[in-house]
Amino acid sequence: MHFKPNLLRSVVFSCLVGVYASAAWAIDPFPVRDIRVEGLQRVEAGTVFASLPVRIGDLYSDEKAAASIRALFALGLFTDVRIEVKDGVLMVVVQERPTIADVDFSGSKEFDKDILKKSLKDIGLTDGRPFDKALVDRAEQELKRQYINRSMYATEVVTTVTPIERNRVNLSFAVVEGEPAKINGLRIVGTKAFSESSLLGLFDQDTGGWLSWYTKSNRYSRTKLNADIESLRSYYLSRGYLEFKVDSTQVAMSPNKQDIDITINVTEGERFVVSKIKLAGNFLGKEEEFRSLIAIRAGEAYNADLVAQTTKAFTDYFGNFGFAFARAEARPDIDRTTNRVELTLQADPQRRVYVRRINVAGNDRTRDEVIRREFRQLEAAWYDGEKIRQSRNRVDRLGYFKEVALDTLEVVGSPDQVDLTVTVSEKPTGSLSLGAGVSSADGLGISFGFRQDNAFGSGNSLGVELNTSKVNRTLVFNTTDPYFTEDGVSRTIDLYQRSSKPYADLNSYSIETTGASMRFGVPFSDSDTVFFGAGVDRTTIVPGSLLPLVYMDFANQFGYTSNALPLTVGWARDTRDSALVPSSGRIMRVNGEWSVAGELLYARATGQFQQYIPVSKKVTAAFNSEIAIGAPTSGQAYPIFKNFYSGGLGSVRGFEQGSLTTAAQRAALTSTGSVATGGTKKVTFNAELLSPLPGGGNDRTLRMYGFFDAGGIYGDDEAIQLNDLRSSVGVGISWISPVGPLRLAFARPISKFEGDKIQGLQFQIGTSF
């Protein structure tokens, strides 16, 4: 190898300089007499002293110098650090980083500024923190990521750093959002067994429609695309295509980052049929019981959903015997020559465990005892999967929480113990309404309503209603203690005073009602409760114009003021999985009322049955039926004030609230125009199909529904006949809002009678049906 003379001399000279420089900077160890710091503005000197690895009296060396500089730079507070040595004194000279005085955003419309500031605060970029250029670059990427999650790929972020006095800087992020990228084309290539359009109907994402402005279903999201691909895979696997696979997914974006074309390439494979199902492993000697849980059958197409349902049923059933960590898996043996598959269900119960502790989390307002008293699984008892599921459903049925999750955690070092953690997400359980109105006839009227279903986090409900209108005066107070006794006996107290004028004419007649009642609910099982109660009720007819003939006849027989002392008894069975948004289970109610004293002697009974059936993971079918009947218990007539009413939300939608009439009343309405006064018998049938709004995922708090209603009202001498029923169909929206369940319905009557009062659009704050 040969070097040029000039190059050789340069290399030798550089090496000599390096050697002499190293020798010149080398420090002989010496004891430190003092340590001083210069250049501090905001950082405390104690922070520097605490970070230095050397103290007064220590021997100072090159190693200590390097370690000291590294330690101070590691604080992230300084842009420059050097250490000077003179007469045994260390002089630490630092230059502080500027401090961020303010962070501002401009041009951001998609996000609220507070949300953007929080996202930057999470990475350490906020007011009062040291300025770091690396963090600013990271912040720009974080902001772009937030916009990409909203399909806004063309977003640009420009950062401006403005120095101000006292070594501070202002940060300004200028955002140019642009338009969100929209899906221009969406294709599935390789489909043979099913049409492409039917498969695309499974996706949450699409190329847009009339509701895309709300659902944003045409905005591209990688997360949503992955979920759609899983829906596609699940669709094929549940129809026998055991070897279905997605070969590739191609996402092409236009140069202006506004249009996206998605192509999904798939291979369907052959369709397989289950030829045989057998059990393998330890089934605790209960093979026949486990066989009854198998959802898939031999001779049917392989269905991954039913296989998963079966393995879950197996693990749940093992859990009923204390085996919390049981494993169950399906092992398919594929015969490709015949397109058949033999399914082996392998089970291993593993170890039996008991519950050491039950923890409650997420209940910032609700007391622990309100949740714990709903648990049927006890601490220091064997793990019981059925009791745990009951406990979770009971907590959900309280109606105080948006979500209820229950996790099983192993106890480290104790393989036979587990801890249960129930995590709740609280929701507003109260409602407040306040209104006022002024009219020349009615004067000033004030209305006030308050209801809290979880008052002070105690689980007790409290309600007050007040209306000072001259047409409708109301004062109502009610409260319920669901655990009046430790055994779970509930107590409800109602106090009320109402005065109503059916007509706006202030000279018309009015009905005044005053009363009180107390009811107790005694639980006989986890789902069965029997109610007992008593009350006192006084009703007064205040004479005036437009008094209907039926009220005049009643006053002539009983007087204008009448009293009643009703005794009540009822039974309810509730197996719903949720009180507000049930998707499975049923509720049955039977109630009876018998007035044993006073001028009004009567008996009345109501029965109700509701059933909820999950049609799919998102769609629920709901059915409701109700029948009511009343009769006098003496030779007198049945009190008209105890009549049943129907029509409107809660019964037959599409008709005005409480406006349905009996056959006799229809004749009177035609001839005299008198008001509907209800009937002594009532029947109602409802059917609903509920699902989340398109593009809304599986949000159960905001759902749309279609419905069919039928119902009728009948008098004393009238038999219940189906051809007398009114019926209607329609659609609506149900929203679990902060003020309670809200329902909006648009209905169209199918069968109606002359004189019926039609109301196509109706709104209600209340529960289903």
Side-chain angles (χ1 to χ4, degrees):
M1 184 178 293
H2 298 280
F3 294 94
K4 293 182 179 180
N6 290 338
L7 178 59
L8 180 60
R9 283 195 296 270
S10 298
V11 172
V12 172
F13 178 76
S14 298
C15 292
L16 290 174
V17 170
V19 171
Y20 280 106
S22 177
W25 284 99
I27 299 176
D28 294 329
F30 65 89
V32 178
R33 293 177 44 244
D34 194 12
I35 302 175
R36 300 171 186 173
V37 183
E38 289 186 356
L40 294 179
Q41 294 181 340
R42 292 183 179 81
V43 179
E44 296 290 337
T47 303
V48 176
F49 291 137
S51 301
L52 289 173
V54 62
R55 301 288 184 268
I56 296 175
D58 293 350
L59 283 178
Y60 186 74
S61 62
D62 288 338
E63 292 77 10
K64 290 288 182 69
S68 299
I69 292 175
R70 284 195 301 268
L72 293 178
F73 270 119
L75 293 174
L77 302 174
F78 309 111
T79 59
D80 185 38
V81 177
R82 70 178 189 273
I83 298 178
E84 300 175 356
V85 178
K86 185 177 181 181
D87 297 332
V89 177
L90 300 185
M91 183 65 68
V92 181
V93 183
V94 299
Q95 182 177 348
E96 289 187 7
R97 291 184 183 276
T99 300
I100 299 173
D102 184 46
V103 179
D104 194 21
F105 300 88
S106 61
S108 175
K109 300 176 182 177
E110 187 72 13
F111 294 97
D112 184 78
K113 286 186 178 181
D114 292 336
I115 296 176
L116 294 177
K117 285 186 176 183
K118 183 181 183 303
S119 67
L120 297 189
K121 183 177 180 181
D122 292 340
I123 65 173
L125 203 65
T126 186
D127 302 354
R129 296 293 298 273
F131 171 75
D132 188 338
K133 181 61 169 64
L135 283 182
V136 172
D137 295 339
R138 184 180 169 190
E140 289 185 4
Q141 297 304 316
E142 173 64 19
L143 290 175
K144 289 182 179 179
R145 187 186 67 82
Q146 295 279 1
Y147 277 95
I148 287 175
N149 289 341
R150 297 286 181 92
S151 304
M152 305 180 77
Y153 293 89
T155 299
E156 296 291 338
V157 180
V158 179
T159 307
T160 303
V161 182
T162 306
I164 60 176
E165 72 279 359
R166 295 166 53 199
N167 195 28
R168 297 181 300 159
V169 295
N170 286 333
L171 295 182
S172 176
F173 293 91
V175 181
V176 181
E177 292 185 340
E179 293 296 324
K182 297 180 180 179
I183 300 175
N184 182 59
L186 182 58
R187 292 208 57 204
I188 303 175
V189 179
T191 61
K192 298 177 182 178
F194 307 101
S195 67
E196 184 181 13
S197 60
S198 63
L199 296 177
L200 290 175
L202 303 172
F203 288 13
D204 284 337
Q205 295 187 120
D206 53 40
T207 55
W210 67 275
L211 204 58
S212 296
W213 61 271
Y214 171 76
T215 64
K216 298 179 174 58
S217 60
N218 60 340
R219 287 195 182 186
Y220 171 72
S221 167
R222 183 67 199 183
T223 302
K224 286 186 177 180
L225 179 59
N226 290 337
D228 288 339
I229 291 175
E230 286 305 312
S231 298
L232 179 64
R233 179 178 287 108
S234 176
Y235 185 82
Y236 271 94
L237 291 177
S238 64
R239 285 158 177 78
Y241 294 86
L242 186 57
E243 296 182 322
F244 170 84
K245 63 179 180 178
V246 176
D247 298 318
S248 64
T249 304
Q250 300 166 352
V251 180
M253 185 178 295
S254 63
N256 63 358
K257 299 182 179 180
Q258 297 297 302
D259 298 318
I260 290 179
D261 289 281
I262 303 172
T263 302
I264 303 171
N265 299 288
V266 303
T267 300
E268 291 182 334
E270 298 295 331
R271 185 171 182 266
F272 291 88
V273 174
V274 177
S275 60
K276 183 179 180 181
I277 302 173
K278 61 182 181 180
L279 302 181
N282 182 6
F283 287 89
L284 309 177
K286 303 177 184 294
E287 282 77 6
E288 291 305 316
E289 296 177 27
F290 279 92
R291 285 187 185 278
S292 66
L293 301 175
I294 298 176
I296 194 168
R297 297 288 181 265
E300 297 178 352
Y302 180 88
N303 189 322
D305 290 343
L306 294 181
V307 172
Q309 178 183 329
T310 299
T311 55
K312 184 180 185 302
F314 279 15
T315 55
D316 289 345
Y317 197 60
F318 275 119
N320 295 347
F321 303 103
F323 297 94
F325 303 105
R327 293 181 180 177
E329 60 177 332
R331 297 178 179 176
D333 184 9
I334 301 174
D335 185 351
R336 293 178 176 83
T337 59
T338 61
N339 289 344
R340 293 187 174 272
V341 57
E342 184 177 297
L343 198 61
T344 301
L345 299 173
Q346 181 78 33
D348 179 10
Q350 298 200 23
R351 61 192 182 278
R352 194 181 186 195
V353 298
Y354 67 90
V355 177
R356 183 188 68 166
R357 185 180 298 123
I358 299 176
N359 303 311
V360 180
N363 55 321
D364 298 328
R365 188 167 60 90
T366 305
R367 301 173 189 173
D368 270 17
E369 64 172 329
V370 174
I371 298 173
R372 290 184 180 277
R373 66 194 183 190
E374 301 299 329
F375 262 73
R376 295 302 174 257
Q377 170 69 56
L378 303 178
E379 294 180 337
W382 286 115
Y383 180 99
D384 190 322
E386 180 61 28
K387 289 183 178 179
I388 291 173
R389 284 189 293 276
Q390 289 180 3
S391 302
R392 185 261 170 211
N393 289 342
R394 287 179 64 90
V395 173
D396 198 2
R397 283 202 299 265
L398 290 174
Y400 308 154
F401 312 110
K402 289 185 284 188
E403 294 181 3
V404 179
L406 210 156
D407 299 315
T408 302
L409 305 174
E410 296 186 61
V411 177
V412 178
S414 300
D416 63 339
Q417 298 181 28
V418 296
D419 287 341
L420 297 180
T421 299
V422 54
T423 304
V424 299
S425 176
E426 293 186 313
K427 71 177 186 66
T429 56
S431 61
L432 178 66
S433 62
L434 181 65
V438 179
S439 68
S440 58
D442 199 18
L444 176 64
I446 297 175
S447 63
F448 169 81
F450 167 80
R451 182 165 184 83
Q452 176 58 260
D453 290 332
N454 186 17
F456 312 109
S458 65
N460 297 345
S461 68
L462 179 66
V464 178
E465 183 182 347
L466 174 68
N467 192 327
T468 64
S469 166
K470 291 182 180 179
V471 174
N472 290 289
R473 292 180 179 270
T474 303
L475 177 60
V476 178
F477 171 83
N478 58 72
T479 179
T480 298
D481 183 352
Y483 278 79
F484 180 64
T485 69
E486 293 183 357
D487 297 330
V489 175
S490 65
R491 181 196 62 187
T492 300
I493 298 175
D494 292 293
L495 304 173
Y496 53 89
Q497 183 177 29
R498 299 184 179 93
S499 175
S500 64
K501 291 179 179 289
Y503 296 97
D505 183 0
L506 296 182
N507 295 319
S508 72
Y509 76 98
S510 63
I511 307 297
E512 296 181 355
T513 305
T514 304
S517 66
M518 180 180 294
R519 300 185 304 278
F520 295 93
V522 182
F524 280 78
S525 70
D526 285 334
S527 55
D528 293 272
T529 303
V530 175
F531 299 92
F532 305 93
V536 59
D537 185 269
R538 168 173 288 187
T539 303
T540 301
I541 300 175
V542 179
S545 61
L546 304 175
L547 182 65
L549 180 61
V550 290
Y551 284 98
M552 295 178 62
D553 293 340
F554 180 88
N556 292 333
Q557 185 175 3
F558 298 99
Y560 284 95
T561 298
S562 54
N563 301 290
L565 182 64
L567 304 179
T568 58
V569 62
W571 166 79
R573 171 175 291 176
D574 190 351
T575 60
R576 297 173 298 172
D577 59 347
S578 174
L580 289 177
V581 283
S583 60
S584 64
R586 64 172 62 96
I587 181 169
M588 295 178 284
R589 299 188 183 99
V590 176
N591 293 293
E593 182 179 328
W594 178 29
S595 177
V596 296
E599 291 80 11
L600 306 182
L601 302 175
Y602 64 91
R604 54 188 246 156
T606 60
Q608 184 180 30
F609 176 84
Q610 291 181 5
Q611 177 73 55
Y612 297 88
I613 302 173
V615 178
S616 67
K617 293 181 180 179
K618 297 182 179 181
V619 180
T620 301
F623 303 93
N624 175 70
S625 60
E626 185 176 2
I627 185 169
I629 187 169
T633 56
S634 64
Q636 300 171 327
Y638 182 79
I640 191 172
F641 312 113
K642 300 300 177 179
N643 276 355
F644 301 101
Y645 291 82
S646 184
L649 280 167
S651 54
V652 185
R653 285 160 282 199
F655 298 85
E656 284 191 13
Q657 203 71 29
S659 66
L660 297 193
T661 55
T662 66
Q665 290 169 3
R666 287 196 293 275
L669 283 169
T670 303
S671 60
T672 66
S674 59
V675 298
T677 54
T680 59
K681 294 183 280 291
K682 180 181 80 167
V683 292
T684 304
F685 304 100
N686 310 98
E688 288 186 358
L689 194 65
L690 303 100
S691 70
L693 287 176
N698 197 19
D699 183 5
R700 298 169 63 195
T701 63
L702 180 61
R703 300 188 292 179
M704 63 180 185
Y705 61 90
F707 63 85
F708 168 79
D709 294 340
I713 288 289
Y714 304 90
D716 285 331
D717 302 326
E718 298 173 1
I720 297 177
Q721 298 181 4
L722 297 182
N723 58 359
D724 284 342
L725 296 179
R726 276 81 152 193
S727 61
S728 63
V729 295
V731 295
I733 294 177
S734 172
W735 178 36
I736 307 301
S737 74
V739 299
L742 304 181
R743 291 174 71 83
L744 180 70
F746 178 78
R748 182 172 183 176
I750 299 176
S751 60
K752 59 182 180 179
F753 292 98
E754 183 181 355
D756 283 345
K757 298 179 180 179
I758 307 302
Q759 191 175 58
L761 185 64
Q762 295 175 315
F763 174 81
Q764 179 192 44
I765 300 179
T767 55
S768 299
F769 298 115

